[in-house]
Amino acid sequence: MRSYKQYCSVARALDVVGDRWNLLIVRELLLREPLRYTDLQFGLPGIATNLLADRLRELEAAGVVEREAAPPPVATTVFRLTDWGKALRPVVTELGAWGAMLMAGSAEGCEFRSHWLTFPLGNFFRDKEPGSPPVTIELRTGDEPMLMEVTEGAVEAHAGRAEHADLVLAGPPRTVLGVLVGAIPIEEAGAEGLTYEGDPEVLGRLEHLPVSPS
Amino acid sequence: MRSYKQYCSVARALDVVGDRWNLLIVRELLLREPLRYTDLQFGLPGIATNLLADRLRELEAAGVVEREAAPPPVATTVFRLTDWGKALRPVVTELGAWGAMLMAGSAEGCEFRSHWLTFPLGNFFRDKEPGSPPVTIELRTGDEPMLMEVTEGAVEAHAGRAEHADLVLAGPPRTVLGVLVGAIPIEEAGAEGLTYEGDPEVLGRLEHLPVSPS
DNA sequence: CAGCATCCGCTTTGATACTG
DNA sequence: CAGTATCAAAGCGGATGCTG
């Protein structure tokens, strides 16, 4: 990207990460460091391969990303964020919070990856009953199952499958998310493709933090 | 901008504000609402006039910006942020914080506007001695004088000139900023174009919050 | 003058094909 | 797996012209 040539920290930040795709590359690395080139491609559907290569070079030159030759037996290059790159987490988090209300719109024609959920699930949910025993919710939507662990006031999300989940939600991403935030009552969600097993009452444990406008 | 077509709140946010210039337009409106078209042009040196018109239309259509016909005697259109647009403040603030360390680089060939300072001055400084009487610092750099009011633990910055400032700093933006953050001792700053009147001791009142890597 | 619209050359992006 | 190479299309920047 051409520099804005403004002596302003916002403009200078955008000189580095304001280019198309750059903040999404950072999102991927924040979620699942370290990543191989092909993992990045999978998490960034729509990016042209030459662009990904260009961007990684630029971000490396700027000191946001590091390239590392992974030792055998893997024997491949992996990409990580530098410390400065990791400091972009609040930027990506705030952008995600601001864009949260856009998730209510249609997901028609959009790609989806399960691991994108770790950001919103971990940041914008709380456990309403910190004293109660932990609860596990398994989400089956997208390319891999995800787990939400509701424990001691907080919510943690990561990829994985549970031995015994208290609730399993399966269906299209928009419906699963709608049920979690309480926008779609679980009894009515069947019409939008949701199926579930387990105890729907555990959804009462989730508190969804307000989204903008704040 | 083309949509990323990803069902992810970060990607959807960037579909709206990820275009070149968009977040800088938001920066201007966060700093000095409401603004006329020509005021925006002045605060966004380098933008092509057709692009500014395009972007304002797009941001208006997306619900980020509002256009208002100002009543006589002004009789012109002014632009504001909607409530949702104002909710971008944390995004711009975090970007500015992340880019802060880039301000140490050369300002050669860069444009500068005094009001851009209100963001960093207000957000990344604190008053070290909340109990002491208020202190006023006048900054003469860029297109208009700015005032820093150091009061009761906080720092406020805005355009203006003081009746009687405790300290007046004049010089190139990079030098003035360097002196404020403590990177350049005020005695050595003369070599970089700084002149001052008043009591340099008041700089001791300023605490500069740490910048990334955090 | 404020607030654009048009035109034009250049750069960036996207899609696909190909390579060590 | 981790990229290059190629090329068409879209976006951007700069200049200029129009309209109330």
Side-chain angles (χ1 to χ4, degrees), chain B residues 106-121:
Chain B
S106 164
E108 203 63 40
C110 289
E111 296 277 355
F112 176 73
R113 298 293 181 267
S114 307
H115 69 268
W116 294 343
L117 287 174
T118 50
F119 242 120
L121 298 184

Side-chain angles (χ1 to χ4, degrees), chain A residues 36-38 49-50 57 67 76-77 79:
Chain A
R36 293 172 305 171
Y37 189 88
T38 37
T49 172
N50 58 344
R57 250 193 307 273
R67 183 183 309 247
T76 180
T77 32
F79 297 89

Side-chain angles (χ1 to χ4, degrees), chain A residues 2-15:
Chain A
R2 287 184 51 136
S3 166
Y4 287 109
K5 303 221 173 154
Q6 297 184 357
Y7 191 63
C8 160
S9 62
V10 179
R12 291 199 163 189
L14 290 171
D15 283 346

Side-chain angles (χ1 to χ4, degrees), chain B residues 37-38 49 53 57 67 76-77:
Chain B
Y37 188 87
T38 37
T49 169
R57 249 193 311 272
R67 183 183 308 249
T76 179
T77 34

Side-chain angles (χ1 to χ4, degrees), chain A residues 3 15 43 45-46 54 56-57 71 75 79-80 91 107 117 122 127 131 133 153-154 163 174:
Chain A
S3 166
D15 283 346
D54 280 358
L56 286 171
R57 250 193 307 273
F79 297 89
R80 291 175 189 282
V91 174
L117 287 175
D127 174 10
E163 293 281 305
R174 212 197 86 115

